[in-house]
Amino acid sequence: RSRAHAVTDRHSAAMTTVKRNTDLKKVKFGTTDMMVTQVCAGTMTWGSYNADESQAHAQLDKLWTLGVNFIDTAELYPVAWNYGALTERWIGNWLTKRIADGTVERSKLYIATKVNPGGVGNEHPTRAKQVHGYDEEIVEWSCRKSIERMNCGYIDLYQIHWPSRDTPLMSTPTFRPADENGKIKNRPMGWHDRGGQEDFDRTIKSIMKLFELGLIRHWGVSNENAFGITMLCQTAIRLGCPLPVSCQNDFSILNQTYEEDTWEAAYRFGIVGLPYGALSGGTLTGKYFDKSHPQYIAKDEAERPLDKCRHRVSSRFQPRYGCSQAMAATRECVELAERWGITPAELAIAWSIARPCNANGSVIIGTTTARQVEECVGAALLELPDELMKEVDVIHEKYRNPCMYYTEKEIWQNLPGLPPPASEPEPEREQ
C-alpha cells in the first residue's frame, strides 16, 4: 500500500476531533494598524453568478453579523461575464444603507479594492478597456471611481491587480517573456511593458500620488512574483513611497506555488498574505463529488444546485480548479476532512489560515449564499493540529500543485486518459 494510505489509515479506526474556538480572531494586518479578521469577504461573483443584488446584500449582512470586518473587491468585478464596476456599486449601495441605519460604522470596516492594467471596469471616457502601465492619470481615475461607486470616502487597501509587464499569469509559475512579435504564452490578458526600471518608477509614482491626495491608507500587490515584489519594493524605498503591505495571490492546498520564491520576497519586505482561491473555485468544498459524497452539494441544493455552480456553468473560466489532477487530490482532501470530523471547506480554509505565509494576514473567502458564509467564517474558528497539517502535506507531495501547469496549457488539459473537468474521478485502486 502507498505511504499516503499508511499515514491516513491511522485515523480510520478512531477519529480525532479538531478544536473549535468560539470567538473570531482578529490580527494586526502586517505592518498596518488595521485589526482585521482572519477571513476576508470575497466578492468577485456578485453580479454574475449572483445575479440579484439582494443576494450580495444578504451575504454582506451575514458577514457583518458574524464579525467579519474586511471586504475585498475590484473595479474588474464581477468575473466570468458582466465584467466591471457592478460589484463595487452593489457594495456601495449596501454600505450607504447600513451606515444610514446605524448598522455599520465606516471606520470599523476595512475595504480593499484593485486597479487592473486592462482598464476593465474603470469607466474612463476615453481609456476604458485599454491596456495601460499604471500611469498616474489612469490610476487616480480608477481609485476615485472605486471610491465613488462604493461611497466609502477612501480605500483602506488599494491593490495592483496584476503586473502590466510581459509575464505569464495565474495558471502557471513558468516564466516566458513575450517574443519578438509581442506574443506571450500562458497569459490570458494583454501586456503593456517589459518590466524595466522606468515601468516600476511609473507605478510607484502613481501610488505615491494616491497617498498625497489622501485617497488610500495602504497599498498591495496581487498575482505577483518574486521579481515584481522585489522591484516594486526597492523602487518604493528609493522614491520614498510606503512599501506594499500585502500580496493577494492564488493559494490553496491545490496550489502552493506562492510558498516558493514569491513568499521569500514578500517575507523579506514585511508583506503579508491575502490569498484568494482557498477553495479552488469551490472544488475543495467537495460539492463536485455528488455521487460519492452527495451531502456537500445537498447543503445548497435549493439555492445553488450543481448545475448553477461555477465549474458547471462556465467550465472555461478558471478551468485549473476543476482539472482532473485537482479533482483526484480533492477526493483525498474530502476523505481526510471526514476522518477528522470537519467539512472539506473548513479544512481548506483553516489550512490556508494556518500556513506561515499567511501569518498576520487574512484569507479571502468566496461565497454565493449566506449559508456558505456561515461555513466559511466558521472555518476560521478551527485550530488544525500538526498531525492533520502533515496529512495535508502527504497529499501535496503526492499531487504537487495539481491545478497549475508547467509547460503548455493544451498539454496539461489533454493528458491521455483523464476525465472531463470538474467530474468525479474513478476511485484509486488498492496496490
Side-chain angles (χ1 to χ4, degrees):
R1 290 168 61 83
S2 69
R3 182 174 298 177
H5 280 105
V7 172
T8 57
D9 278 355
R10 286 200 295 267
H11 287 289
S12 60
M15 185 179 68
T16 304
T17 58
V18 175
K19 181 180 178 181
R20 189 180 297 269
N21 297 313
T22 56
D23 297 323
L24 193 61
K25 183 179 177 181
K26 292 181 181 177
V27 296
K28 184 177 178 293
F29 191 67
T31 59
T32 77
D33 58 356
M34 295 164 50
M35 293 298 297
V36 304
T37 45
Q38 289 183 300
V39 285
C40 172
T43 65
M44 75 176 192
T45 60
W46 299 351
S48 53
Y49 295 96
N50 279 129
D52 298 324
E53 185 172 0
S54 61
Q55 296 173 330
H57 288 198
Q59 291 169 74
L60 283 164
D61 284 338
K62 179 62 71 173
L63 286 156
W64 186 254
T65 299
L66 293 175
V68 176
N69 67 346
F70 199 7
I71 297 174
D72 177 78
T73 190
E75 65 176 3
L76 177 80
Y77 297 166
V79 296
W81 66 91
N82 220 17
Y83 280 92
L86 183 59
T87 303
E88 287 188 332
R89 194 164 285 118
W90 283 7
I91 293 171
N93 292 341
W94 174 82
L95 184 60
T96 300
K97 180 170 58 176
R98 292 296 173 243
I99 289 177
D101 67 18
T103 302
V104 175
E105 185 178 331
R106 171 66 184 93
S107 63
K108 295 182 179 179
L109 175 66
Y110 298 106
I111 297 175
T113 191
K114 313 177 200 72
V115 53
N116 73 84
V120 181
N122 64 23
E123 299 184 315
H124 194 281
T126 60
R127 299 181 62 183
K129 298 183 180 180
Q130 291 185 14
V131 174
H132 62 76
Y134 295 117
D135 60 271
E136 287 187 26
E137 190 239 351
I138 198 64
V139 171
E140 180 186 346
W141 170 274
S142 285
C143 187
R144 289 188 182 278
K145 289 299 289 186
S146 289
I147 292 171
E148 175 188 310
R149 285 189 287 262
M150 291 189 284
N151 193 24
C152 58
Y154 58 91
I155 302 298
D156 295 283
L157 177 63
Y158 200 57
Q159 303 158 98
I160 293 172
H161 208 151
W162 62 80
S164 62
R165 64 186 183 277
D166 61 332
T167 187
L169 288 173
M170 298 178 187
S171 296
T172 179
T174 306
F175 173 69
R176 285 189 179 90
D179 61 23
E180 62 276 8
N181 297 314
K183 294 183 179 180
I184 181 171
K185 288 184 177 181
N186 303 334
R187 183 182 174 103
M189 61 284 289
W191 59 276
H192 176 271
D193 52 70
R194 297 278 184 172
Q197 185 60 64
E198 67 279 7
D199 302 311
F200 289 102
D201 283 2
R202 180 179 59 250
T203 299
I204 294 299
K205 288 176 181 177
S206 297
I207 296 296
M208 291 177 69
K209 187 176 181 182
L210 300 183
F211 278 112
E212 292 166 1
L213 294 170
L215 299 178
I216 65 173
R217 300 290 172 86
H218 308 281
W219 75 286
V221 298
S222 180
N223 298 301
E224 209 23 298
N225 60 26
F227 171 76
I229 288 174
T230 301
M231 290 297 292
L232 286 166
C233 288
Q234 293 285 21
T235 303
I237 291 169
R238 177 170 55 82
L239 295 179
C241 178
L243 291 176
V245 300
S246 60
C247 181
Q248 184 179 146
N249 277 26
D250 196 352
F251 180 74
S252 70
I253 292 173
L254 304 182
N255 176 14
Q256 300 179 38
T257 53
Y258 177 76
E259 290 185 325
E260 297 170 8
D261 58 350
T262 303
W263 179 35
E264 182 183 4
Y267 176 81
R268 301 300 179 190
F269 289 103
I271 295 170
V272 297
L274 180 60
Y276 69 89
L279 294 176
S280 295
T283 298
L284 283 166
T285 66
K287 64 185 176 183
Y288 293 102
F289 291 81
D290 52 308
K291 297 175 182 177
S292 60
H293 302 270
Q295 66 269 36
Y296 300 117
I297 189 58
K299 290 187 290 187
D300 289 308
E301 189 172 6
E303 289 185 85
R304 308 296 296 180
L306 194 59
D307 61 359
K308 298 290 185 182
C309 293
R310 183 188 305 186
H311 300 311
R312 297 295 169 85
V313 172
S314 49
S315 61
R316 292 185 178 183
F317 177 69
Q318 297 180 330
R320 63 187 184 273
Y321 293 142
C323 74
S324 55
Q325 302 97 314
M327 292 296 290
T330 298
R331 177 184 60 207
E332 298 199 18
C333 290
V334 170
E335 293 169 354
L336 176 61
E338 290 178 349
R339 286 195 298 275
W340 282 83
I342 59 178
T343 70
E346 288 177 328
L347 172 63
I349 294 169
W351 176 90
S352 293
I353 292 172
R355 297 302 284 183
C357 64
N358 297 322
N360 299 315
S362 188
V363 172
I364 295 171
I365 53 174
T367 60
T368 53
T369 71
R371 189 216 62 80
Q372 291 174 3
V373 169
E374 290 183 346
E375 182 176 8
C376 291
V377 174
L381 301 175
L382 299 180
E383 290 187 23
L384 303 187
D386 289 342
E387 189 174 358
L388 176 50
M389 295 293 286
K390 288 178 181 178
E391 292 199 56
V392 176
D393 288 343
V394 171
I395 297 172
H396 175 57
E397 292 292 354
K398 184 177 179 181
Y399 304 95
R400 292 278 186 89
N401 303 316
C403 59
M404 302 293 281
Y405 56 89
Y406 288 77
T407 55
E408 295 187 16
K409 186 176 182 179
E410 291 72 22
I411 294 174
W412 170 71
Q413 287 184 318
N414 294 297
L415 291 172
L418 297 180
S423 61
E424 190 167 340
E426 291 296 322
E428 190 179 68
R429 293 182 178 179
E430 297 290 339
Q431 299 296 320

